[in-house]
């Protein structure tokens, strides 16, 4: 992440800062299985091979502006976005013609013939979120506290017409030990 304290750059902006954070995540895995016809799990039937791969990519981005002054007012503004993407593929077959190739010769299988029990699949899952938030904190004599905030969130996985909603919040506080 990166953070800028504007008050250290220019005195009139004391208490104002900006924070930026970005977090990517990338994962990839691939697996292959081959069971020879002599395998105990196949009990003498034909050989079996399968192959699969998964790719995951996601990221989160946060932008935050903070303002805090000695006279009891604090403001926080937040914008955040995230995206997730998962892609997968798999194939399997029995009676592989060249067993020495393990799962790396699936193209030699005639998928139109049922004796191979061939199967394949692919998948893609994507989702996105975006959020905007504003919060104001007020403190009077460091005794009486007020917080008001609102958050506006959107998600691609929600039903059409319900992708966005607003979530307000308010709180009062009293530090009785300050009396």
């Amino acid at each position: 992440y990166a953070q800028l304290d504007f008050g250290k750059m220019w005195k009139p902006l004391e208490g104002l800062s900006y924070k930026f954070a970005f977090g990517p995540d990338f994962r990839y895995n691939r697996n292959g299985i081959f069971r020879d016809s002599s395998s105990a799990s196949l009990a003498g039937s034909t050989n079996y091979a399968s192959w699969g791969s998964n790719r995951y990519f996601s990221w989160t981005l946060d932008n935050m502006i903070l303002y805090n002054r000695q006279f009891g007012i604090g403001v926080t503004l937040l914008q955040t976005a995230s995206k997730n993407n998962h892609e997968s593929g798999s194939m399997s077959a029995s009676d592989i013609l060249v067993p020495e190739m393990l799962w790396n010769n699936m193209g030699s299988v005639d998928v139109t013939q049922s004796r191979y029990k061939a199967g394949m699949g692919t998948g893609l899952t994507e989702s996105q979120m975006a959020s905007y938030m504003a919060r104001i904190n007020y403190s009077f004599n460091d005794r009486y506290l007020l917080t008001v905030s609102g958050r506006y969130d959107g998600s691609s996985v929600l039903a059409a017409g319900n992708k966005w909603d607003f979530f307000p919040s308010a709180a009062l506080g009293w530090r009785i030990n300050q009396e």
Side-chain angles (χ1 to χ4, degrees):
Y1 80 92
Q3 186 164 342
L4 295 172
D5 187 343
F6 294 110
K8 291 183 179 178
M9 294 181 219
W10 191 38
K11 195 71 171 165
L13 295 178
E14 187 174 358
L16 182 64
S17 63
Y18 169 73
K19 182 178 178 182
F20 166 86
F22 179 71
D25 181 23
F26 179 76
R27 291 176 279 153
Y28 175 79
N29 64 47
R30 180 179 79 93
N31 58 12
I33 297 171
F34 182 81
R35 292 190 188 117
D36 192 71
S37 59
S38 62
S39 168
S41 65
L42 293 177
S45 65
T46 61
N47 61 30
Y48 169 84
S50 69
W51 173 87
S53 72
N54 287 286
R55 183 196 45 79
Y56 302 88
F57 179 65
S58 64
W59 55 263
T60 301
L61 172 69
D62 294 326
N63 289 292
M64 188 180 301
I65 296 174
L66 303 158
Y67 181 71
N68 291 303
R69 289 300 302 237
Q70 294 295 332
F71 54 88
I73 292 184
V75 176
T76 303
L77 301 173
L78 170 70
Q79 180 273 325
T80 186
S82 64
K83 185 169 183 173
N84 298 295
N85 177 285
H86 171 221
E87 189 172 7
S88 62
S90 64
M91 58 181 108
S92 64
S94 295
D95 202 12
I96 304 299
L97 301 175
V98 184
E100 295 78 22
M101 296 291 290
L102 306 174
W103 57 84
N104 294 310
N105 196 24
M106 302 290 268
S108 68
V109 173
D110 184 352
V111 295
T112 63
Q113 295 201 12
S114 62
R115 80 170 227 226
Y116 294 112
K117 301 176 189 161
M120 63 182 95
T122 59
L124 176 65
T125 305
E126 294 184 303
S127 63
Q128 299 176 65
M129 281 189 63
S131 297
Y132 303 92
M133 186 273 301
R135 178 176 55 218
I136 298 173
N137 296 319
Y138 176 71
S139 172
F140 180 74
N141 287 340
D142 205 26
R143 241 185 257 168
Y144 309 106
L145 311 169
L146 170 66
T147 298
V148 177
S149 64
R151 186 173 180 121
Y152 192 58
D153 293 335
S155 176
S156 66
V157 299
L158 298 175
N162 294 302
K163 301 234 182 246
W164 288 90
D165 211 347
F166 180 70
F167 303 93
S169 171
L172 293 171
W174 174 30
R175 291 189 178 142
I176 198 164
N177 64 346
Q178 301 290 328
E179 291 296 329

